[in-house]
Amino acid sequence: MDVRALIVVLGLLSLVAGCTSDPAPPSAPPSAPVAHPPAPRVPDRDEKAVLGTLVNLDPCLLAGFGDAHRRSPHMCIVDLPDHSSVHVTVADRYPRAGRFAGGKKEIGGATVDGISVLTSDLCRAEVPVSFDYAITIDLLPYPSRRGCKANDIDKYAAKVVGNLRKLTTVQHPANRPDLSKEACTVLENAVATVGTKIAEGPSNIRTTIDDCYASGLYGGGMTIFSMLIEPGPPDGGWGTKWATVAGKTIYYKGDGDCRWTWSQGTYSGDHNRLMTLSVDDCKGTKAQMTAVLGALIKELEKPQVPGTVARLTYRPDEPDEPNPGACVDYPQDECEPYQPTPLPANVTVAARTDGHVLCAATLDAVNARFPGMRPVTDQLGCSYVRPDHAVQLDFRVWGNPSAALDPSVSRKVAVAGHPGVYAETRAERQPPQTSVCVDPGKQDPKTSQPYYWCVVATFRVPRNTDGKADPSRQTELEPLMAEVAKHF
């Protein structure tokens, strides 16, 4: 919901109400609030067990690409005959906002999430394996102007899903144990071994489980440990010889910011299993960094551990995120499913702070005009959602904010005899929204400020389609609020 747009509407409504009616009498004191225990969150899978199984997977074998180019142990890149390319990655799961805006479908009996990106030049999907991890598939079409459609990536996702049922056939070889590691686990264990500490770094820039971002190693800045499959050193331009540590030749490059690189062994051809440790504004002594590098090498040499999770995919009827009930279709994480609640004597005052009361007051009207939508609550009020995300209704009872007025987007309306404002908000790269706010003629008993009942409808492209958002049902909002008005 675009709160700024709603504030504009309320600013106009305050003027409308002020010009058309006498000051409203104070409302009666609110009834005693009803307790709403939070719904239990859905438990995640055993993260350690999932990650222990994931690290053994070869993404090229997983996607059925055989000996395609491996950018790192858990990223595979294949060039298609039409010059498009597909990237398959074992990675952290994409942020929920991108998953919410994308599609969700069943492929081969498994849940596959489509990911919304800012450009149609890229199609992205992921096969979730826990709340935090997924197999990510990117399709980069050629030429890029050709763009992507929602189902272009399905056949690659189907291959991944099928091979996730045959885990023993898509694993890294046991005699190269460094390929079956996760970068942050390696770095954290190595740092603990030498008796120092690092701080957690930004996770939102990590692209695979082969990168780890931290900070504060021996007082330095950003600390990055990466596992790569590339040419070098020394031909890759990785710096000059620095020392031999744990039997590996370490190359160094830096001037204030430092990077150490070594080969854990050959991969194929001129490609090596390269490891890099970078520290911005590095302050560690040579002895300290030698100890850290030695601990990293020993962690990488630890034997491959067989995975213990037999089924990584989610069935369509299994929750793949912690949000309970209908909250899976609400864009924010702060959400509770609606709990049936009796209407108090003063609905307006109670609905101002209790989203469950607001849902109880609007439920019948929404069911009549927008059947099939499910109510949820958050700190702001009550919302109604549906699995295809095509329409979302947000009900709020607001106070009277001070705001600039833009009457060009609004018009006055009368709703069940109450003054109101109808407004349409259209912004680039944002779903269209339409709102109706009504002055019920009641005030906050403590502040004497007026209350306003509002509904904001957000219209989105339906999930799993290449269609467009359809705001045509905005005509239902005024009669909807007229039916809700009996509870003012």
Side-chain angles (χ1 to χ4, degrees):
M1 180 179 66
D2 189 334
V3 175
R4 291 174 300 177
L6 186 55
I7 289 176
V8 170
V9 173
L10 292 175
L12 177 58
L13 184 54
S14 65
L15 295 184
V16 172
C19 295
T20 58
S21 61
D22 295 328
S27 300
S31 305
V34 177
H36 306 290
R41 265 37 200 170
V42 178
D44 196 359
R45 292 171 167 176
D46 183 331
E47 181 176 295
K48 186 176 181 180
V50 169
L51 187 57
T53 302
L54 275 182
V55 293
N56 292 338
L57 301 182
D58 181 325
C60 289
L61 297 179
L62 192 60
F65 292 144
D67 292 328
H69 172 57
R70 291 162 174 81
R71 174 67 177 80
S72 66
H74 298 102
M75 174 182 272
C76 177
I77 302 174
V78 62
D79 293 324
L80 302 176
D82 67 353
H83 304 294
S84 300
S85 64
V86 177
H87 298 193
V88 179
T89 310
V90 182
D92 295 331
R93 203 162 175 193
Y94 202 76
R96 187 172 182 271
R99 303 200 310 268
F100 177 86
K104 181 184 284 286
K105 61 178 66 175
E106 176 186 349
I107 295 179
T111 293
V112 176
D113 290 323
I115 303 300
S116 176
V117 294
L118 295 179
T119 171
S120 62
D121 296 345
L122 167 67
C123 288
R124 174 170 290 164
E126 66 179 18
V127 182
V129 297
S130 75
F131 293 173
D132 295 323
Y133 295 104
I135 311 298
T136 299
I137 307 152
D138 290 336
L139 172 61
L140 287 72
Y142 179 87
S144 60
R145 63 180 178 274
R146 188 183 78 193
C148 286
K149 294 185 178 180
N151 60 355
D152 284 353
I153 206 165
D154 288 2
K155 63 181 180 181
Y156 305 106
K159 193 70 172 180
V160 169
V161 167
N163 282 328
L164 283 172
R165 297 194 180 97
K166 303 177 290 185
L167 294 180
T168 58
T169 68
V170 292
Q171 295 193 139
H172 288 300
N175 62 355
R176 295 178 174 184
D178 52 283
L179 298 175
S180 296
K181 297 291 187 288
E182 188 263 343
C184 284
T185 302
V186 172
L187 180 60
E188 289 163 4
N189 289 348
V191 167
T193 297
V194 300
T196 188
K197 295 181 180 179
I198 51 174
E200 189 173 316
S203 60
N204 61 320
I205 57 176
R206 181 161 108 144
T207 57
T208 79
I209 62 172
D210 301 324
D211 301 320
C212 186
Y213 294 82
S215 64
L217 181 60
Y218 292 120
M222 175 77 82
T223 302
I224 306 171
F225 174 62
S226 297
M227 306 185 297
L228 306 168
I229 298 176
E230 289 190 0
D235 295 336
W238 297 101
T240 57
K241 289 184 179 181
W242 184 73
T244 298
V245 179
K248 308 295 182 185
T249 302
I250 309 295
Y251 293 81
Y252 173 80
K253 190 174 185 178
D255 182 12
D257 297 337
C258 305
R259 184 182 69 192
W260 294 266
T261 304
W262 70 96
S263 171
Q264 201 68 22
T266 60
Y267 188 81
S268 65
D270 62 349
H271 283 64
N272 285 298
R273 291 146 29 222
L274 291 187
M275 309 295 157
T276 68
L277 177 67
S278 302
V279 182
D280 292 349
D281 190 23
C282 51
K283 294 181 172 61
T285 65
K286 185 166 185 176
Q288 289 172 328
M289 296 312 302
T290 297
V292 170
L293 294 167
L296 286 169
I297 292 167
K298 290 181 179 178
E299 282 293 320
L300 292 165
E301 291 174 342
K302 288 182 177 180
Q304 182 189 77
V305 179
T308 59
V309 179
R311 181 172 64 86
L312 285 169
T313 58
Y314 285 94
R315 294 188 302 268
D317 61 343
E318 289 182 295
D320 62 351
E321 61 175 74
N323 296 329
C327 289
V328 298
D329 294 311
Y330 188 65
Q332 306 300 324
D333 284 328
E334 291 188 3
C335 174
E336 290 288 332
Y338 164 62
Q339 300 176 26
T341 301
L343 289 175
N346 191 329
V347 175
T348 295
V349 173
R352 176 74 175 89
T353 57
D354 190 335
H356 296 277
V357 171
L358 191 50
C359 283
T362 56
L363 185 62
D364 289 343
V366 172
N367 284 342
R369 293 192 173 272
F370 293 85
M373 301 192 75
R374 298 193 293 172
V376 299
T377 68
D378 67 5
Q379 293 180 344
L380 297 175
C382 171
S383 298
Y384 290 83
V385 298
R386 47 192 266 182
D388 69 356
H389 300 177
V391 182
Q392 179 176 315
L393 301 175
D394 297 309
F395 286 90
R396 306 289 185 254
V397 176
W398 292 85
N400 179 20
S402 174
L405 180 62
D406 183 3
S408 65
V409 300
S410 309
R411 60 178 171 83
K412 301 176 185 178
V413 294
V415 177
H418 300 279
V421 171
Y422 171 98
E424 297 178 9
T425 303
R426 304 294 185 261
E428 187 178 3
R429 294 189 179 276
Q430 297 295 324
Q433 292 182 314
T434 302
S435 61
V436 175
C437 287
V438 182
D439 176 7
K442 295 189 176 182
Q443 295 177 348
D444 185 314
K446 295 181 180 180
T447 67
S448 297
Q449 291 294 316
Y451 287 117
Y452 301 97
W453 282 66
C454 299
V455 60
V456 178
T458 302
F459 302 96
R460 301 185 181 93
V461 176
R463 298 185 98 180
N464 303 326
T465 73
D466 293 308
K468 295 182 178 180
D470 179 12
S472 62
R473 298 199 67 190
Q474 62 193 12
T475 57
E476 299 276 351
L477 298 183
E478 288 180 60
L480 173 67
M481 288 300 283
E483 294 175 31
V484 172
K486 64 184 179 183
H487 296 300
F488 288 174

